[in-house]
Amino acid sequence: MTIDALSEICGPARTPVAWVRPGHVGYVGPDLGVDPHSPSVAMLSVGLDAPLVVHSAQGPIRTGSSFAPARTTQRVVATRGWILALFVDPAGAPATAIADEMTTAAGPFGLTHRRERELVELCNGPLVDPDHIYARAIAGPAPVADPRIERVAAIIRSDPAHTFRAEHIAANLGLSTTHFLRLFTAQCGTTFRGYQRWNRMIHTVRGAVSGHDLTRSALDAGFATPSHFSETFRDMIGLPATKVFRAGIHFDLGTSPAS
């Protein structure tokens, strides 16, 4: 279905929106036709006009909403209309806070969010409020975080271009490298290296959306080459970055640096 056809269903005033906030990155808009992808962070998907079909190693799953842990390969398809795709920074708010809100499961996927109807109403309203959507997606209190890992994650977010070495950080924390890496993954739900890639990608997107050259933004974020950024973006999002930037999406960067 084309965006023009969707506008007949959803109304001509409806504009696709994507946002970048500390702790979450989201998209509300038509299905852009993603390929199978595996984000470094957790992802909540909600069908806003009709159920979704989640294609995974377990086969197709039809559901109103789906939660995929970090590094889970999937392809989410809207059967009709628009979707919410919410990528959750596991260090800013542990993904288990959303996982606990899912009422059923299929393999690694959580299905049917407790506030699915409310999330649909928030996304279909006249004004998309990213922070309100995020707050309702999590709702309950997040699990207690390890302050050591939180500090490390904050340092990575503050300097995404820097290549952090696990052995150096582990030594500073008085831990073995193996124990630190295991602790980071258990706390964040994603790997130490994957978390660095995610933050480099977000830094690049912020730069490009702000009007800077995409190649320069990718290099400034720490990618070795523009093609490395392109491959990372497609692996995590399921689309070429250029397709997303040309899809008529309104980008909301907020006022704070992204995670």
Side-chain angles (χ1 to χ4, degrees):
M1 182 177 289
T2 66
I3 292 178
D4 289 339
L6 284 169
S7 67
E8 296 178 6
I9 298 171
C10 305
R14 217 172 169 196
T15 301
V17 177
W19 65 85
V20 178
R21 292 286 192 277
H24 55 107
V25 174
Y27 169 74
V28 171
D31 186 336
L32 297 176
V34 300
D35 294 325
H37 57 286
S38 180
S40 289
V41 299
M43 179 181 175
L44 173 68
S45 304
V46 181
L48 302 181
D49 298 299
L52 305 168
V53 176
V54 181
H55 296 274
S56 70
Q58 290 73 36
I61 305 167
R62 187 180 177 90
T63 180
S65 53
S66 169
F67 173 80
R71 299 180 293 157
T72 303
T73 301
Q74 62 172 341
R75 183 170 72 90
V76 178
V77 178
T79 57
R80 178 174 59 85
W82 284 28
I83 64 170
L84 162 66
L86 182 65
F87 298 88
V88 183
D89 186 318
T96 50
I98 294 182
D100 289 345
E101 298 300 319
M102 311 308 290
T103 58
T104 60
F109 297 92
L111 307 176
T112 314
H113 194 285
R114 285 191 179 91
R115 273 162 300 284
E116 182 181 297
R117 184 185 298 272
E118 184 177 350
L119 289 169
V120 169
E121 291 174 353
L122 288 172
C123 293
N124 285 336
L127 178 65
V128 173
D129 184 337
D131 296 314
H132 196 182
I133 291 170
Y134 176 64
R136 297 313 295 152
I138 291 181
V144 177
D146 186 319
R148 298 172 297 179
I149 301 303
E150 283 195 323
R151 286 195 297 271
V152 171
I155 292 170
I156 292 172
R157 292 195 298 271
S158 69
D159 190 7
H162 184 80
T163 300
F164 294 94
R165 302 295 181 187
E167 58 270 24
H168 295 161
I169 293 178
N172 288 334
L173 295 176
L175 303 172
S176 70
T177 302
T178 300
H179 182 56
F180 165 70
L181 290 174
R182 188 180 299 119
L183 190 65
F184 189 95
T185 300
Q187 172 75 41
C188 293
T190 194
T191 64
F192 179 68
R193 183 174 296 178
Y195 191 66
Q196 292 185 75
R197 285 198 303 269
W198 172 256
N199 282 282
R200 286 174 180 162
M201 188 185 75
I202 295 305
H203 188 80
T204 303
V205 171
R206 286 186 68 90
V209 171
S210 297
H212 302 296
D213 177 74
L214 179 59
T215 296
R216 184 72 262 165
S217 296
L219 296 175
D220 288 347
F223 286 103
T225 63
S227 62
H228 185 205
F229 162 72
S230 297
E231 292 167 5
T232 299
F233 190 97
R234 186 156 196 160
D235 287 346
M236 291 192 185
I237 305 300
L239 292 167
T242 51
K243 181 174 181 179
V244 173
F245 293 144
R246 296 170 182 169
I249 298 169
H250 169 69
F251 287 90
D252 177 356
L253 299 183
T255 58
S256 302
S259 295

